[in-house]
Amino acid sequence: MQKPYRDFSEYFSAHFPYKVQKISLNAGCTCPNRDGSTGTGGCTYCNNRSFSPEYTARLKPIGEQMQEGMAFFAHKYPQMRYLAYFQSYTNTYGDRQALQAMYAAALAQPGVVGLVLGTRPDCMDEEWLRYFADLRERTHVFIEYGVESTLDRTLRRVNRGHTFSQAAESIRRTSEHGLPCGAHLIIGLPGESRDDFLHHIDELNNLPITSIKLHQLQILRGTIMGRDYMKDPAAFGLMTADDYLEIAVDLLRHMRPDLYVDRFVSQSPPDLILAPRWSIKNYIFTNKLVNTMLNRGYRQGDLYGK
Ligand code: SF4
């Protein structure tokens, strides 16, 4: 079935003549928004379970993490190739040489054809950009930036520790270095409305990004937001899954037609989620979204610029 939006898998199909699978790796990075470099306490929605030294010490070497991830798919799909996905936390924050050694260890594994790396927009300096531009001469590189909101009042409220203009500037400089990048947005942050979500899409439409990754706000145990939620749940006015579906449809219709869409919902471990507890799998939500768009004759970008 033809999807009414550009699924991120089409980006991979356009770049690789075989199927690729991202393998999530954990580099054990910390975060400048926790260690005092940018801020302390972290983003109010961030669960810090993975920041303890004991947890980091238990992490396996990157080559081993990569091999274990690939083994899961290899017997079923022998032709599959892999992308090393440094997803969690701030993967350009820490000892530069040690991090580069981890990227190299992942890329050295047979069958690995590129690197996808998530980071904060304020953690991508010129030296990193030159490093990734150079790496891109030899392998595929894709950068994901945690933009989260385009409104500074929201970014301050969730203690994000950077502004939207910092995110926009990093995206522009990344593009100037010839590197493709995507923006991650959280839909439903406190104080934001449907108009604000549409404003995010308008702002991102104007930036040289390749993809947008969306997910709904999840309020997790062990977070500052979780503590506030427990005190006054009504203050959060959380969306139902159906509300969110309508918002996602709206966002897609206003989105630049050439952008790839990487995801709509995220699923944290159930024991961590305080709210909303939708219990809906990513693929079920996506199927519902696709059917809604098709039944109504909508497609990505049909309201772009209107
Ligand atoms: S969400 Fe990311 S940027 Fe924010 S505190 Fe957690 S790791 Fe740091």
Side-chain angles (χ1 to χ4, degrees), residues 8 17 23 27 30 35 41 51 63 72 83 91 93 109 116 184 188 200 281-282 284 289:
F8 197 53
I23 302 292
T30 174
D35 68 7
F51 284 104
F72 183 78
L83 296 167
N91 289 291
Y93 184 70
Q109 300 300 316
V116 180
H184 183 252
H200 298 332
K281 296 214 179 297
N282 197 349
I284 293 175
L289 178 86

Side-chain angles (χ1 to χ4, degrees), residues 30-34 41-47 51 88-90 120 148 159-160:
T30 174
C31 171
N33 200 21
R34 288 193 168 276
C43 308
T44 59
Y45 52 81
C46 178
N47 177 277
F51 284 104
S88 304
Y89 313 115
T90 309
R120 285 171 58 92
E148 317 310 2
N159 194 37
R160 181 71 192 163

Side-chain angles (χ1 to χ4, degrees), residues 69-295:
M70 292 190 294
F72 183 78
F73 298 96
H75 68 285
K76 215 167 159 192
Y77 309 102
Q79 305 308 321
M80 182 88 90
R81 295 290 177 269
Y82 301 92
L83 296 167
Y85 187 21
F86 289 85
Q87 176 180 18
S88 304
Y89 313 115
T90 309
N91 289 291
T92 49
Y93 184 70
D95 182 281
R96 212 177 282 262
Q97 283 186 342
L99 288 170
Q100 290 175 6
M102 286 192 222
Y103 308 152
L107 289 166
Q109 300 300 316
V112 179
V113 292
L115 180 73
V116 180
L117 183 132
T119 195
R120 285 171 58 92
D122 57 347
C123 290
M124 190 60 95
D125 61 15
E126 192 60 24
E127 194 175 339
W128 272 121
L129 286 172
R130 281 203 300 269
Y131 166 80
F132 287 120
D134 179 62
L135 193 61
R136 187 164 159 78
E137 304 276 312
R138 301 183 294 284
T139 191
H140 197 85
V141 178
F142 193 95
I143 309 292
E144 285 184 0
Y145 285 116
V147 174
E148 317 310 2
S149 171
T150 65
L151 294 171
D152 286 345
R153 65 170 156 82
T154 305
L155 294 170
R156 277 194 299 277
R157 182 165 173 177
V158 300
N159 194 37
R160 181 71 192 163
H162 64 74
T163 60
F164 173 59
S165 61
Q166 283 175 286
E169 185 55 23
S170 287
I171 287 169
R172 284 193 202 98
R173 286 190 305 114
T174 303
S175 169
E176 282 162 15
H177 281 75
L179 292 159
C181 69
H184 183 252
L185 272 184
I186 301 176
I187 302 299
L189 285 170
E192 293 197 344
S193 64
R194 173 187 174 276
D195 285 350
D196 295 328
F197 308 146
L198 288 171
H199 172 80
H200 298 332
I201 296 301
D202 285 345
E203 291 283 1
L204 294 180
N205 281 341
N206 290 325
L207 289 174
I209 51 172
T210 298
S211 68
I212 294 186
K213 186 184 239 182
L214 303 170
H215 75 73
Q216 83 282 19
L217 174 68
Q218 295 185 100
I219 303 179
L220 304 180
R221 290 181 203 286
T223 63
I224 297 166
M225 197 179 280
R227 189 197 57 203
D228 292 347
Y229 175 80
M230 293 305 279
K231 278 192 212 148
D232 186 6
F236 281 78
L238 292 175
M239 286 181 272
T240 64
D242 285 340
D243 294 338
Y244 180 65
L245 186 131
E246 291 298 331
I247 299 264
V249 166
D250 261 4
L251 301 184
L252 279 175
R253 297 189 71 200
H254 286 83
M255 198 177 284
R256 217 171 68 208
D258 64 294
L259 291 176
Y260 294 96
V261 187
D262 194 351
R263 194 180 62 185
F264 298 99
V265 290
S266 173
Q267 283 177 295
S268 292
D271 63 314
L272 271 187
I273 302 177
L274 283 171
R277 299 181 71 89
W278 294 346
S279 304
I280 186 166
K281 296 214 179 297
N282 197 349
Y283 78 94
I284 293 175
F285 181 89
T286 305
N287 285 347
K288 212 169 161 187
L289 178 86
V290 166
N291 287 331
T292 303
M293 298 270 295
L294 291 176
N295 289 340

